[in-house]
Amino acid sequence: MERLVGTISRGIRAPIIREGDDIAQIVADSVLNASRSDGFALRDRDVVAVTEAVVARAQGNYATIDDVASDVKSKFGEETVGVIFPILSRNRFAICLKGFARGLKKIVLMLTYPSDEVGNHLIDLDVLDEKGINPYSDVLDEKRYRELFGYTTHRFTGVDYVSYYKDLITAEGCEVEIVFANDARVILNYTNSVINCDIHTRHRTKRLLKNKGAKVFGLDEILSKSVNGSGFNSKYGLLGSNKATETKVKLFPRDSEQVVEKIQKLLYDATGKNIEVMVYGDGAFKDPVGKIWELADPVVSPAYTKGLEGQPNEVKLKYLADNDFAHLKGEELKKAISEYIKSKGDNLVGQMVSQGTTPRRLVDLIGSLCDLTSGSGDKGTPIVLVQGYFDNYAE
């Protein structure tokens, strides 16, 4: 009988993960137990995804404020340091900033405006227009910012991030000066030593500053090695870190390739099915109300099995129905479209028939689906099983 259900995304419950747990075994067991409990079968090309948070927790990949402070102090000593382009987040950046302040004497904090890199707004765009400010060219100090915009708070969190970050820094006994600008090179008017905290634009920022002779370290270069026995991430450093406690951050997981490969093997040994596996973090999507782009991690997926390489190769059904087969209907239309799909080429890039399909990598699409499925709260489903993702209308 023809299968009438397409893609299914299931959140899979798991025990609370602790440091030292065998995360691969727990993921495999959780999926197998859910399959038996809910009566669904596992199939070839299913996707099992596990959130980066529990992988890092099992690894014990944590660092303290003092570890962060030690690392920045070893890099900058007594220098005044520009901390530029951080996102506005109590969860993502506040503990990192505390560590910087604890290790440094003076910070020049340079914030982008009207919003940060991922869409958290300091200032409403309409207010910016009303005040006649050009964010591409105008540089504001804290006094001028307050004169123009007052004490604004984040729409969702209710936090005035300018005051919040300033207080975090001064509470550590560090002097602070706040600047608002969108050109990284502005910081060189204040100091030649810089920590650039942007995520997806970090390579360009480093290049612009280094071309001017600046001494620059990105978040990806802080805790890229263990400090005093701390966790670390050799590729991403503090990028992708989250607040764990008031004095500790959980870092992005490392060596995740070994985790996904082990999960894949455990599932194959148990089922005989070739199941794809990935580790996922933030999805890559934008909230239409708050204008927040979710992706505060450096990548959606730090590791995945080989079958998840590439991007979709799909045709647009409505295009076929309205153009090539506009003269058909019912079973004739269904048969014609099914045959077209079966004979489609391996690379449809640039062809009109694929226009409007999503031009993104598979891991970014599936990881975003998984992030929406698992959520970030108390669902208790850090594992997601996606079935039927690679099916099409002809199968």
Side-chain angles (χ1 to χ4, degrees), residues 177-331:
E177 182 175 357
I178 299 179
V179 181
F180 302 83
N182 291 300
D183 184 337
R185 291 164 293 193
V186 168
I187 196 62
L188 302 180
N189 296 326
Y190 302 85
T191 178
N192 205 47
S193 300
V194 183
I195 300 173
N196 70 293
C197 304
D198 44 341
I199 306 162
H200 308 291
T201 57
R202 64 187 183 276
H203 299 298
R204 177 175 184 266
T205 298
K206 286 180 190 177
R207 173 173 55 79
L208 289 173
L209 292 173
K210 287 183 177 181
N211 284 346
K212 293 290 186 179
K215 176 181 178 179
V216 188
F217 290 94
L219 280 186
D220 54 336
E221 296 171 290
I222 298 171
L223 287 183
S224 58
K225 297 179 180 178
S226 180
V227 176
N228 302 321
S230 73
F232 66 97
N233 188 300
S234 60
K235 186 174 183 179
Y236 297 119
L238 280 175
L239 285 178
S241 63
N242 291 81
K243 178 180 179 179
T245 70
E246 293 301 324
T247 60
K248 186 185 293 186
V249 291
K250 177 198 64 60
L251 303 174
F252 217 43
R254 59 180 190 266
D255 304 324
S256 298
E257 295 82 5
Q258 299 170 23
V259 175
V260 297
E261 288 170 5
K262 183 177 178 181
I263 294 170
Q264 186 177 56
K265 184 179 186 305
L266 288 168
L267 289 172
Y268 180 81
D269 290 345
T271 67
K273 304 298 181 182
N274 291 304
I275 295 170
E276 304 297 344
V277 183
M278 66 184 295
V279 175
Y280 70 95
D282 275 349
F285 47 82
K286 185 175 182 177
D287 172 59
V289 177
K291 312 301 181 187
I292 299 169
W293 182 36
E294 175 71 7
L295 188 56
D297 285 326
V299 289
V300 172
S301 175
Y304 47 88
T305 50
K306 292 180 180 179
L308 296 176
E309 291 280 2
Q311 63 186 58
N313 186 55
E314 300 173 344
V315 297
K316 200 75 170 178
L317 293 187
K318 65 182 181 182
Y319 180 87
L320 291 174
D322 291 343
N323 290 273
D324 296 48
F325 306 117
H327 60 292
L328 300 177
K329 61 181 180 179
E331 284 300 315

Side-chain angles (χ1 to χ4, degrees), residues 8 10 31 42-50 267 274-278 304-305 307-308 366-367 370 383-390:
I8 298 171
R10 287 184 173 91
V31 171
L42 297 173
R43 302 192 292 262
D44 287 325
R45 296 223 77 188
D46 284 352
V47 180
V48 169
V50 54
L267 289 172
N274 291 304
I275 295 170
E276 304 297 344
V277 183
M278 66 184 295
Y304 47 88
T305 50
L308 296 176
I366 298 171
C370 291
I383 305 161
V384 176
L385 172 67
V386 179
Q387 296 187 292
Y389 192 86
F390 296 101

